[in-house]
Amino acid sequence: MKLGLFLDMRNPARWERPGAEHYGVMLDRVTRAEELGANSVWLTEHHFFEDGYLPQPLTLAAAIAARTERVRIGTAVLLAPHRHPVHIAEEAALVDLVSGGRLELGLGAGWSREEFDAFGSDFRARYDVTDSVFTAVRNLLSQGGVTPGPVQDPVPMWLGYQGPRGAARAGRLGAGLLSLDPALSAPYLAGLEEGGHPAGAARRGGVIDIIVADDPESTARQLIPNLAHRQATYLGRRGDTRTVADLEIELTAEFDRNRSVPGLTVATAEAAAGEIRARNRHMPVEHAYLWAGLPGMSDTLVDRHMELLFTRVAPALAEATPC
């Protein structure tokens, strides 16, 4: 199992710094993560978030490729319904070239109706379109359909489908599944079999929402405003009218009752290693990645989280892996 970072590049107004500085700090942080032993860095995508959520993952992937030498660089996920497959294949091939063959290309269907409206994409057909784009991109990358072509043959490709039907679709296409939900194992394996793929072709990856800290309780309390911001932005896209302030009050009350906050695990390195092992048990997990930090999280907490993750958690996971 390769352990990595997950980046969304949010830069909320409450903690905002100049955009060029923000990206420069994160690029420096990725190079530092590689020095510490990170195996991968994964990039996500959304559009029109006020906090600057990353809209173009492959553009940032190219910048990361130029600054690093070893880490795998993944998209989790690139929103397939909003792009032509030739564009995806051409950009992916260039990232693979710049990186020397380190791209992991994950595609997904998306869920924000606002984004579908902006791009003129068909929300109801999003899964069929994503399946079609996945197949087209795979063919373009493996059959000389774009020039220049990628280094890797094949480029590892993934689908970020959730739920049993999505897992089965990923299996039928022979894709890696970007979800660590154990309930999806059976439908994913059934889909692989239905698509004529061997069970040994199963590959899983996904995000684990853990922040590693020396003092979890104190850190969890500090992170309530950051977590409230993240939750409010997602909930707002789904029609929930609660504000950041509303969620901050709710999360603080929950913390006062239980000394923890719902939706986020803050743990010591030892506890984090145990939690990651438990969540990935009995699954063919190739990649697990943790958020580099919550939106606006202090540099001090982010840097310590990253240091603990790759100098304490990763070695503990490696020692526990059977030979």
Side-chain angles (χ1 to χ4, degrees), residues 236-277:
R237 283 288 176 102
R238 298 182 183 276
D240 193 311
T241 59
R242 282 176 293 176
T243 66
V244 174
D246 294 333
L247 291 167
E248 221 174 303
I249 291 169
E250 291 178 20
L251 291 170
T252 299
E254 183 67 26
F255 178 83
D256 289 341
R257 284 192 295 270
N258 300 313
R259 316 314 293 174
S260 63
V261 289
L264 179 68
T265 300
V266 184
T268 64
E270 294 73 19
E275 183 71 14
I276 292 170
R277 282 195 298 270

Side-chain angles (χ1 to χ4, degrees), residues 275-297:
E275 183 71 14
I276 292 170
R277 282 195 298 270
R279 294 191 193 187
N280 294 330
R281 190 169 290 127
H282 308 309
M283 292 191 294
V285 177
E286 187 174 331
H287 291 281
Y289 36 90
L290 280 68
W291 290 105
L294 299 182
M297 185 170 158

Side-chain angles (χ1 to χ4, degrees), residues 171-172 190-198:
R172 285 193 293 271
L192 284 169
E193 182 179 4
E194 184 181 342
H197 309 286

Side-chain angles (χ1 to χ4, degrees), residues 8-19:
D8 58 15
M9 300 307 299
R10 291 167 178 260
N11 188 20
R14 183 171 177 177
W15 304 280
E16 187 174 13
R17 54 185 160 202

Side-chain angles (χ1 to χ4, degrees), residues 1 42 75-77 104-109 127 130-131 134 138 156-192 197-208 279-280 282-289:
M1 181 177 63
W42 293 75
T75 57
V77 288
E104 303 275 340
L105 183 60
L107 305 182
Y127 291 106
T130 300
D131 285 357
F134 177 92
R138 181 170 57 187
M157 291 187 64
W158 304 78
L159 281 167
Y161 284 166
Q162 308 300 316
R165 287 187 294 178
R169 295 177 84 116
R172 285 193 293 271
L173 288 167
L177 178 62
L178 286 176
S179 173
L180 297 179
D181 182 352
L184 302 187
S185 294
Y188 178 50
L189 291 173
L192 284 169
H197 309 286
R203 295 175 295 128
R204 303 285 292 273
V207 63
I208 298 177
R279 294 191 193 187
N280 294 330
H282 308 309
M283 292 191 294
V285 177
E286 187 174 331
H287 291 281
Y289 36 90

